[in-house]
Amino acid sequence: MREIFLEEVDSTNLYGKNNLKDLPDRTVIYAARQTSGRGRLARNWVDLGGENLFLSFILKPSDKFNEKFSNITQYLSVVLCDILESYGLEPSIKWPNDVLIGSRKISGILCETVMQGSSFNGLVLGVGVNLNSDFATLETIDKPATSLNLEVGRHIDVELFKSRLVNAFFENYDEFLEKGFEFIKSKYISHASFLDKEICVQSLNKKNKGIAKTLTDRGELVLDSKGKILVLTIGDIL
Ligand code: BTN
């Protein structure tokens, strides 16, 4: 496994995408500062200015796209929950892959699939974790957010957190590739704070309200919308 550390970069995901062909499978890119972090659904990811984690995995699991790759963000969210539990916290997952402490987001995950024409070149799986921040800085984010140092009451060693995350990610990565979402389904559900609740999901340009019933074996969200069962593949719980 190769690691690349950058003092400052626009986005570790963008760096990964732009250099994909020269980077071997399982390269880890991480940066001390990120000036133009990318988020899901065309949002951005704010650099909180302290010591935080901005990391992208370069993954080239095969030369063909496999639908199991779509669940890799959910696999990473479960890995993150395990690590946060080791800090004494009770993390939860907001479908599909936001990791929260209470109702506040501590981590965001963005996977970008790189294609060249119809051929699949690889995945750039990015994760941002708020490790060290303060209440005033977190207030500048438009949605409720928290950071690990505030949750545990001490400074967090970024290097140590990064090593734990990378090791835990690769520990079961091959088994995840083989089995897909089913491999993590029960653990994912045990962290899924949205289940059995009335939620509103923004999917592309449509909003769907209903009760979150369960997850399919492919990680899709099953929503009961006034008796009509909807199976949602992408979206964001508002
Ligand atoms: C989201 O919740 O919207 C996803 C945020 C993903 C942020 C990470 S930080 C490291 C990597 N590089 C980026 O530009 N984005 C991801």
Side-chain angles (χ1 to χ4, degrees), residues 5-102:
F5 172 70
L6 305 164
E7 268 302 334
E8 185 174 300
V9 69
D10 46 4
S11 147
T12 55
N13 266 35
L14 210 52
Y15 181 95
K17 286 187 352 168
N18 290 339
N19 295 286
L20 192 78
K21 68 172 179 1
D22 302 320
L23 297 170
D25 179 30
R26 302 182 191 219
T27 300
V28 170
I29 302 157
Y30 68 112
R33 283 179 306 280
Q34 198 175 236
T35 54
S36 211
R38 295 151 69 88
R40 289 180 63 239
L41 310 172
R43 289 189 295 247
N44 55 12
W45 184 258
V46 181
D47 182 336
L48 296 172
E51 292 171 71
N52 292 289
L53 188 74
F54 311 106
L55 183 148
S56 299
F57 294 96
I58 301 300
L59 304 169
K60 299 181 174 179
S62 115
D63 49 14
K64 282 203 186 72
F65 186 80
N66 179 319
E67 74 159 38
K68 287 178 184 143
F69 303 162
S70 323
N71 298 110
I72 199 143
T73 60
Q74 290 166 311
Y75 168 67
L76 180 52
S77 68
V78 167
V79 169
L80 259 171
C81 284
D82 280 346
I83 292 174
L84 293 169
E85 277 177 344
S86 75
Y87 285 81
L89 300 176
E90 287 181 24
S92 62
I93 300 174
K94 190 169 98 169
W95 185 81
N97 53 50
D98 282 349
V99 178
L100 315 181
I101 304 295

Side-chain angles (χ1 to χ4, degrees), residues 9 13 36 75 98 113 119 138 142 148 172 177-178 217 228 238:
V9 69
N13 266 35
S36 211
Y75 168 67
D98 282 349
T113 302
S119 46
L138 289 168
D142 58 351
L148 187 51
N172 294 309
L177 286 181
E178 205 183 295
D217 286 347
K228 191 172 158 204
L238 299 175

Side-chain angles (χ1 to χ4, degrees), residues 173-230:
Y173 172 65
D174 290 311
E175 197 166 354
F176 163 75
L177 286 181
E178 205 183 295
K179 299 180 178 160
F181 186 73
E182 286 186 66
F183 174 57
I184 51 153
K185 187 176 178 184
S186 63
K187 220 171 196 184
Y188 184 95
I189 285 181
S190 74
H191 288 293
S193 54
F194 53 86
L195 287 179
D196 299 321
K197 294 198 178 122
E198 165 114 39
I199 56 170
C200 180
V201 184
Q202 173 92 52
S203 302
L204 300 173
N205 42 19
K206 199 165 181 246
K207 282 184 188 163
N208 289 299
K209 267 192 188 162
I211 309 283
K213 299 303 281 182
T214 189
L215 275 298
T216 68
D217 286 347
R218 301 193 317 186
E220 299 144 319
L221 176 61
V222 180
L223 198 68
D224 181 341
S225 182
K226 293 187 191 140
K228 191 172 158 204
I229 298 295
L230 305 174

